[in-house]
């Protein structure tokens, strides 16, 4: 095996060591980006975020680059890139070692670049990838007793258990019926 993974639908080849060098391909931000917790976004910013995620999921690579610029990558590109790092024949290249933080930081910067290309094109005021403060949803968090306010609610990503009568698919919220694969 050459250690390369061909992604014919995206017209690219991913090399396991290359996933550790993501920062080389990420453009430096002109000004520092201020990340905000997902629930602090306005309704319009949330709508823009979920639209952009869906656009990454549905839009093919060539058309995405044409519409949104050179940083555009389809959502599944990131799924595959992460899987390639995890399943490397030499061992997990993104976890369980000193590369964990730098790998994920570079990975998120590349993801954010793809997302921001769409957000800018649609004129969104959202200018950074939001984060999720999981402690707010934990059993000691302020939203634990109010799951309708959590990120796994119809307001955000949909229920985390899914709908049993629909094969446990997420059938509510902006991420409903998100295709896997």
């Amino acid at each position: 095996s050459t250690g390369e993974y061909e992604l014919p639908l995206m017209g690219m080849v991913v090399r396991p060591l290359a996933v550790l060098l993501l920062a080389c391909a990420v453009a430096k931000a002109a000004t520092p980006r201020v990340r905000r917790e997902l629930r602090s976004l306005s309704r319009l910013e949330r709508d823009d975020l979920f639209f952009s995620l869906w656009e990454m999921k549905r839009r093919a690579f060539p058309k995405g680059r044409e519409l949104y610029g050179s940083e555009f990558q389809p959502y599944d590109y990131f799924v595959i890139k992460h899987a390639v790092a995890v399943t490397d024949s030499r061992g997990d290249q993104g976890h369980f070692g000193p590369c964990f933080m730098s790998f994920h930081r570079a990975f998120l910067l590349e993801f954010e670049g793809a997302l921001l290309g769409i957000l800018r094109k649609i004129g969104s005021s959202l200018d950074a990838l939001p984060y999720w403060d999981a402690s707010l949803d934990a059993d000691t968090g302020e939203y634990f007793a109010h799951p309708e306010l959590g990120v796994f609610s119809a307001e955000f990503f949909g229920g985390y258990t899914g709908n049993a009568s629909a094969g446990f698919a997420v059938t509510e919220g902006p991420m409903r019926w998100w295709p896997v694969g």
Side-chain angles (χ1 to χ4, degrees):
S1 168
T2 64
E4 296 179 347
Y5 300 83
E6 190 166 344
L7 310 175
L9 296 175
M10 295 177 203
M12 61 189 335
V13 173
V14 174
R15 292 171 183 84
L17 286 179
V19 297
L20 297 177
L21 303 174
L22 294 172
C24 297
V26 175
K28 184 177 179 190
T31 57
R33 296 179 185 143
V34 178
R35 301 192 197 302
R36 295 183 290 150
E37 209 279 334
L38 181 64
R39 286 165 280 221
S40 74
L41 302 181
S42 71
R43 167 59 84 185
L44 180 58
E45 289 170 327
R46 280 197 324 240
D47 290 347
D48 290 347
L49 172 66
F50 290 121
F51 170 84
S52 298
L53 290 170
W54 273 103
E55 191 65 3
M56 287 172 69
K57 182 66 175 171
R58 292 186 292 222
R59 185 69 58 194
F61 178 77
K63 187 66 173 176
R65 285 275 168 113
E66 180 184 320
L67 290 171
Y68 303 116
S70 62
E71 290 189 76
F72 177 83
Q73 293 289 355
Y75 186 90
D76 287 345
Y77 162 87
F78 294 101
V79 173
I80 293 167
K81 183 168 264 195
H82 196 268
V84 166
V86 170
T87 60
D88 189 290
S89 61
R90 296 163 296 171
D92 188 335
Q93 300 295 303
H95 305 93
F96 309 120
C99 63
F100 179 86
M101 295 298 283
S102 56
F103 170 80
H104 285 90
R105 179 67 181 128
F107 185 86
L108 286 173
L109 279 173
E110 187 178 24
F111 184 89
E112 182 179 53
L115 186 73
L116 289 176
I118 300 167
L119 290 166
R120 287 184 192 115
K121 182 77 171 190
I122 65 172
S124 179
S125 63
L126 190 57
D127 58 1
L129 179 66
Y131 67 91
W132 167 37
D133 182 349
S135 71
L136 296 173
D137 298 295
D139 60 356
T140 57
E142 68 181 89
Y143 298 130
F144 183 72
H146 304 283
E148 71 280 1
L149 301 175
V151 296
F152 296 109
S153 68
E155 284 295 307
F156 297 99
F157 293 105
Y160 63 86
T161 58
N163 183 329
S165 65
F168 295 97
V170 174
T171 58
E172 61 183 6
M175 303 305 285
R176 65 185 165 276
W177 303 111
W178 181 269
V180 177

